[in-house]
Amino acid sequence: MSGRRGGNRIRGPQSALTDFLAANNISAAQIRDDYERRRQQAEQDAADAGEGPSNQTPEQNDDEALAAAAQAEEAEKKTKKRKRTEKDAIDKIKNAKATKKGKGKKKGKKDEEDDEDGDDDADYDDDFGMYKKARPAPGQFEHCDICNKRFTVTPYSKEGPDGGLLCTPCGKELSKDVKKEQKAATKSAGTGRKRRKVESDRLDGIAVGGAKSLSQLCIQKVAQHHDDIEELGDLPPSVLERLSEIFSKKRVMKSKTLPLFLRPDLDSVIVHDAAYLEEEDYRQIFAIVPNVRKLVLSNTCQLKDGAIDYMLERCHDLRHIQLYAANLVSEGMWHRVFREAGGKLECLKLSWLDAAFEDLVVQDMVKYCPKLERLKLKLCRRLGEDAVTSISDLPELKHLSLQISQNVSTPVLVNLVEKRGSGLQTLSLEKFIDADDSVVGAIHDNCIQLSKLRLSENDTVTDAGYTALFTDWDNPPLKFADFNSTRDIDNNNSGGPEDAIGLASSGFRALMEHSGASLRHLHIASCRHIELSAFMDVFNGAQNYPALEYINMSFCNRADTSVVAGIFKSCPALKQLVAFGCFDVQDVVVPRNVALIGVPRAQDAIEQFGIGIGVDEAISRMVEVTT
Amino acid sequence: MASSSDYVTLVSNDGFSFVVQRSAACISPVIKRMLDPKGAFMEARDNTCTLQNINGMVLEKVCEYVYYHEKHKDARDVPDMDFPTELCLELLMASDYLNI
């Protein structure tokens, strides 16, 4: 009613709806008028008349002109918006008509049988388009597209998938879905996760600066889509190995994906994570690849006697057996393995055996595997001194790696070194805590071909012993030296005794003097008795260590920034320097191609990579900083 | 023809040829050796390498890769190049052959 316009007070005979609308400054009469007008406009193809607002103003009373004017402006805005939506609707209808005409034409050109259908469709669509509802004005009631409930249209009502409007809850749901989709699309390239992944890849040595190799990208993609692959085709064995490595890493090496790596012409089967493989899968391996020479299965928790039995039956050419964590294989079966397959066996690597594998088996092994050249026995809980004694009798032994949990007395070790030392190229004795200077002395006296030496986690051998080892030693320079965690462990005396225990200053100097020329890998973590002066003497820039690629000096807390600078200078081939716990190393500028890991500063990443700076420039920058 | 032109041609086994910059193509040591002017290979004379075991689609991705590699040589946190999954295995074989 015109008299009620602009009033907030409810008066006289008015419907509740009109009251409500009036409370929101919407006039029911106005809406009705607009609707009539719109209907007329929809039937013409005329442009905007612009008559709407001006038509209404003369109807107002003078004393309500102001309020009316204000409302008229608002109404004008609304009508403009409505006109826009109407125009869109009209355009849509026009377009729909046009396409239908086109469709009709196309359909007309088709065969006669299609004519009728085409015409029918065109007619139907045309009619539908003609009477398509325009968007109702705010305030009107409308049925929700999805749930069909009646609701009041507001300016914020969302449009449903079919073009109609949605009630508020359905609208909220729709927008939530849309938001989720958008999030999924953008967050999949989430920056935080990506950066961590890049750093993790770098620590794995996959990409040091620059782009990844194409092989690496392809392998990653294959691992991502491992479910969809049916066959790997004719990939060369090296690529196959890398693929199996990454499958194992992503823990997707299962019954389904295993056959991809089995081909009758292969001579090695390498599965680094066989945890998901079952009895059937092991039989399958031996069935498909009977000529296997090199068998590497790690985490083979489900490997049982039956599968081993089948293996002994099918595979007669085994030269290299590497089984980690094969705990379900019984003692008797181990005996059988060596008796039947030992003849050709050249390499045996076993670790993490708790339940079986005792000294007697080692005796059998020595007896039946005369050609054994490489032996690695680690973390086999039942092995003890007798095993070591037996091993001393292996004639062809070249590479020996032992970590035995039970106590092995020093004379037994000395005996081992004396008997086999001359032929050994690799000697690794881990966690022989009580081995003393006599062992090292035996190494000095007997080993003349060693290229890899590891004596780690020991707190008895003295620095003097190490110095004696590397002085006047007939052995050519080592390539791999690992003396990590050789130090005195006494919580009451953290500085260590007077006569240093473990690899300390003089031992370190002697080591580098003896082997510096060809040393590639140096691991001296936790040798905390090495003094700063020793580091400075060894890595003073004048010395050159041309082959040194990897240095781990974590927890050698006497080392500082100048040592690191010296290392950069002295080691042109350096790729990785690990220095956890070296708190005096600060403000390092890392040259190109070098990865520095473990030097902490609050705002830096845990690893720093040299980008595009040469060694000299890096050092000069560091010197500027420190001086 | 100049003895060391700036651009070289890579030809796939199904007849597609791709003209790429020499510096990009020589990221692959195999191609580099083929095109080495000091070597006696025919490819070095024509500045064209015919790769008999790589087809057109895969070679196109290889060319894209060499440019991507060159562009991001010294950068950090490089985003991975994208390629269709169907090409994956053939691309893997090609990358293994070309050692890139």
Side-chain angles (χ1 to χ4, degrees):
Chain A
M1 307 300 156
S2 53
R4 303 292 169 231
R5 196 152 300 179
N8 274 345
R9 302 184 312 275
I10 298 171
R11 275 194 210 146
Q14 241 178 239
S15 73
L17 175 60
T18 317
D19 288 343
F20 175 70
L21 293 176
N24 291 331
N25 282 332
I26 301 170
S27 154
Q30 194 181 41
I31 291 172
R32 198 194 330 119
D33 293 335
D34 289 341
Y35 174 63
E36 293 293 320
R37 205 189 358 96
R38 241 192 356 261
R39 260 244 320 253
Q40 288 161 17
Q41 261 192 347
E43 285 171 9
Q44 328 161 6
D45 275 340
D48 285 349
E51 303 161 347
S54 39
N55 266 351
Q56 318 235 327
T57 41
E59 291 175 17
Q60 289 174 38
N61 287 339
D62 286 332
D63 34 271
E64 295 179 358
L66 269 172
Q71 193 170 34
E73 271 180 40
E74 216 185 278
E76 200 179 300
K77 272 192 238 152
K78 286 201 194 119
T79 53
K80 278 207 178 129
K81 186 176 177 219
R82 252 178 265 130
K83 277 189 200 141
R84 225 186 313 135
T85 51
E86 287 157 25
K87 207 174 168 228
D88 291 333
I90 294 166
D91 289 345
K92 249 200 262 175
I93 295 167
K94 279 197 230 168
N95 289 337
K97 280 194 185 155
T99 52
K100 255 143 241 162
K101 285 198 192 128
K103 254 200 245 169
K105 277 197 198 140
K106 270 200 249 168
K107 287 201 172 162
K109 283 186 185 157
K110 276 196 187 163
D111 294 334
E112 271 189 87
E113 6 183 73
D114 288 339
D115 258 358
E116 267 189 283
D117 291 343
D119 280 347
D120 282 349
D121 279 353
D123 280 343
Y124 179 105
D125 283 350
D126 251 16
D127 290 347
F128 193 64
M130 197 61 127
Y131 293 111
K132 197 164 179 179
K133 259 206 286 189
R135 188 196 168 106
Q140 296 283 64
F141 275 124
E142 176 72 4
H143 287 277
C144 171
D145 239 12
I146 294 179
C147 63
N148 238 350
K149 257 202 313 200
R150 226 165 74 130
F151 72 103
T152 316
V153 176
T154 67
Y156 309 106
S157 303
K158 300 254 182 312
E159 263 201 18
D162 296 334
L165 293 171
L166 302 179
C167 67
T168 324
C170 291
K172 274 197 205 151
E173 284 258 2
L174 190 76
S175 59
K176 235 199 318 176
D177 288 334
V178 168
K179 239 199 232 171
K180 236 195 259 176
E181 272 175 32
Q182 281 177 353
K183 239 184 161 189
T186 53
K187 265 299 176 109
S188 58
T191 39
R193 214 191 315 150
K194 215 173 137 197
R195 189 167 159 266
R196 244 181 284 138
K197 183 158 193 330
V198 169
E199 287 188 9
S200 152
D201 279 343
R202 289 241 176 82
L203 282 175
D204 283 339
I206 295 177
V208 186
K212 289 192 195 148
S213 76
L214 189 57
S215 312
Q216 189 58 37
L217 290 172
C218 291
I219 288 180
Q220 267 176 242
K221 194 129 213 182
V222 171
Q224 232 182 338
H225 296 270
H226 62 270
D227 269 339
D228 306 325
I229 305 180
E230 286 174 4
E231 174 182 77
L232 281 182
D234 260 335
L235 291 174
S238 60
V239 178
L240 214 58
E241 259 183 55
R242 284 179 63 191
L243 265 178
S244 91
E245 277 170 23
I246 222 180
F247 269 44
S248 298
K249 180 177 166 189
K250 302 237 181 235
R251 308 233 57 209
V252 291
M253 187 61 91
K254 299 186 186 173
S255 313
K256 196 171 153 230
T257 48
L258 177 68
L260 295 170
F261 297 97
L262 302 176
R263 283 205 311 251
D265 59 318
L266 288 178
D267 62 0
S268 60
V269 173
I270 300 182
V271 178
H272 290 290
D273 176 27
Y276 287 120
L277 299 182
E278 299 171 20
E279 181 96 12
E280 287 301 314
D281 302 315
Y282 290 119
R283 283 176 189 266
Q284 198 183 28
I285 294 179
F286 303 128
I288 298 184
V289 197
N291 298 324
V292 57
R293 286 179 154 203
K294 175 172 169 178
L295 180 66
V296 174
L297 298 170
S298 304
N299 295 347
T300 49
C301 324
Q302 302 193 49
L303 182 64
K304 293 185 195 143
D305 284 356
I308 299 271
D309 181 55
Y310 189 61
M311 174 185 87
L312 293 173
E313 197 185 298
R314 284 281 289 183
C315 310
H316 300 288
D317 214 13
L318 280 170
R319 313 271 164 115
H320 178 136
I321 296 182
Q322 183 170 330
L323 301 172
Y324 289 170
N327 265 309
L328 292 178
V329 180
S330 67
E331 194 80 24
M333 190 49 83
W334 284 121
H335 282 277
R336 263 192 68 195
V337 167
F338 295 129
R339 281 190 199 139
E340 294 179 32
K344 290 191 177 175
L345 207 54
E346 291 166 13
C347 171
L348 179 68
K349 297 187 184 180
L350 300 171
S351 70
W352 292 108
L353 291 174
D354 285 348
F357 209 82
E358 308 201 355
D359 295 341
L360 284 177
V361 180
V362 179
Q363 251 183 28
D364 253 3
M365 175 190 82
V366 174
K367 191 163 146 198
Y368 291 104
C369 308
K371 289 191 179 176
L372 206 57
E373 290 181 10
R374 280 180 187 267
L375 179 61
K376 187 187 269 205
L377 292 174
K378 282 196 193 182
L379 299 159
C380 301
R381 216 154 42 92
R382 293 175 167 257
L383 293 182
E385 264 192 20
D386 295 335
V388 182
T389 319
S390 313
I391 292 171
S392 328
D393 293 326
L394 277 169
E396 299 283 326
L397 200 59
K398 295 200 177 71
H399 307 271
L400 177 62
S401 192
L402 290 177
Q403 184 181 357
I404 298 189
S405 3
Q406 293 181 17
N407 248 337
V408 177
S409 63
T410 317
V412 172
L413 272 180
V414 172
N415 182 37
L416 167 68
V417 176
E418 280 174 355
K419 274 194 177 170
R420 300 265 69 82
S422 50
L424 281 181
Q425 296 173 13
T426 302
L427 179 60
S428 164
L429 302 170
E430 288 178 68
K431 257 195 162 156
F432 286 92
I433 313 180
D434 295 322
D436 64 9
D437 285 349
S438 53
V439 177
V440 180
I443 297 177
H444 176 100
D445 295 333
N446 293 286
C447 297
I448 47 173
Q449 290 187 53
L450 275 185
S451 74
K452 174 171 172 175
L453 177 60
R454 175 186 284 127
L455 190 66
S456 63
E457 296 191 63
N458 170 288
D459 57 3
T460 318
V461 179
T462 62
D463 190 35
Y466 286 117
T467 318
L469 170 62
F470 290 110
T471 322
D472 295 327
W473 193 20
D474 287 331
N475 202 64
L478 295 172
K479 295 210 179 84
F480 184 108
D482 181 352
F483 294 98
N484 79 77
S485 308
T486 50
R487 74 273 189 249
D488 179 49
I489 305 180
D490 185 356
N491 285 333
N492 295 327
N493 183 11
S494 61
E498 275 285 337
D499 295 323
I501 289 192
L503 192 74
S505 304
S506 67
F508 181 54
R509 282 201 189 94
L511 160 65
M512 292 311 285
E513 186 150 334
H514 172 267
S515 301
S518 57
L519 198 62
R520 268 197 227 139
H521 180 117
L522 178 64
H523 191 18
I524 47 171
S526 292
C527 292
R528 59 170 187 268
H529 303 307
I530 301 180
E531 302 284 335
L532 179 61
S533 54
F535 277 121
M536 297 301 303
D537 283 342
V538 168
F539 295 118
N540 63 3
Q543 301 277 22
N544 200 355
Y545 304 108
L548 200 45
E549 291 177 4
Y550 172 93
I551 303 179
N552 187 336
M553 55 180 216
S554 304
F555 302 106
C556 294
N557 40 27
R558 311 292 165 90
D560 68 358
T561 318
S562 49
V563 172
V564 174
I567 290 179
F568 290 153
K569 194 94 196 262
S570 309
C571 309
L574 191 68
K575 289 202 185 125
Q576 257 194 358
L577 173 58
V578 183
F580 284 101
C582 296
F583 298 112
D584 290 333
V585 178
Q586 289 166 2
D587 295 328
V588 180
V589 180
V590 186
R592 189 187 291 128
N593 288 335
V594 176
L596 174 64
I597 300 177
V599 173
R601 241 175 50 161
Q603 52 269 53
D604 275 351
I606 201 68
E607 84 292 353
Q608 300 161 30
F609 297 94
I611 3 160
I613 318 176
V615 175
D616 294 327
E617 200 186 321
I619 292 176
S620 58
R621 282 198 204 177
M622 270 196 285
V623 169
E624 282 167 28
V625 170
T626 52
T627 54
Chain B
M1 189 166 307
S3 60
S4 186
S5 62
D6 209 16
Y7 284 86
V8 296
T9 313
L10 303 176
V11 184
S12 71
N13 60 6
D14 46 359
F16 289 97
S17 38
F18 300 86
V19 180
V20 295
Q21 278 187 332
R22 183 179 281 266
S23 58
C26 289
I27 284 170
S28 156
V30 172
I31 296 183
K32 185 171 180 185
R33 218 174 146 237
M34 275 202 264
L35 296 171
D36 191 356
K38 287 188 232 102
F41 291 120
M42 192 175 74
E43 284 88 355
R45 273 185 286 132
D46 311 338
N47 294 313
T48 306
C49 281
T50 309
L51 299 160
Q52 295 293 1
N53 44 1
I54 305 180
N55 67 21
M57 291 215 61
V58 176
L59 190 54
E60 183 188 13
K61 276 297 165 182
V62 170
C63 293
E64 193 183 318
Y65 175 78
V66 290
Y67 278 124
Y68 155 87
H69 182 109
E70 214 188 12
K71 178 176 162 199
H72 290 115
K73 223 179 203 164
D74 267 333
R76 286 184 63 169
D77 294 344
V78 178
D80 291 339
M81 184 177 99
D82 209 14
F83 50 88
T85 318
E86 301 82 38
L87 277 186
C88 208
L89 287 173
E90 290 175 339
L91 198 55
L92 181 55
M93 286 207 270
S95 71
D96 184 63
Y97 172 71
L98 295 172
N99 207 353
I100 46 173

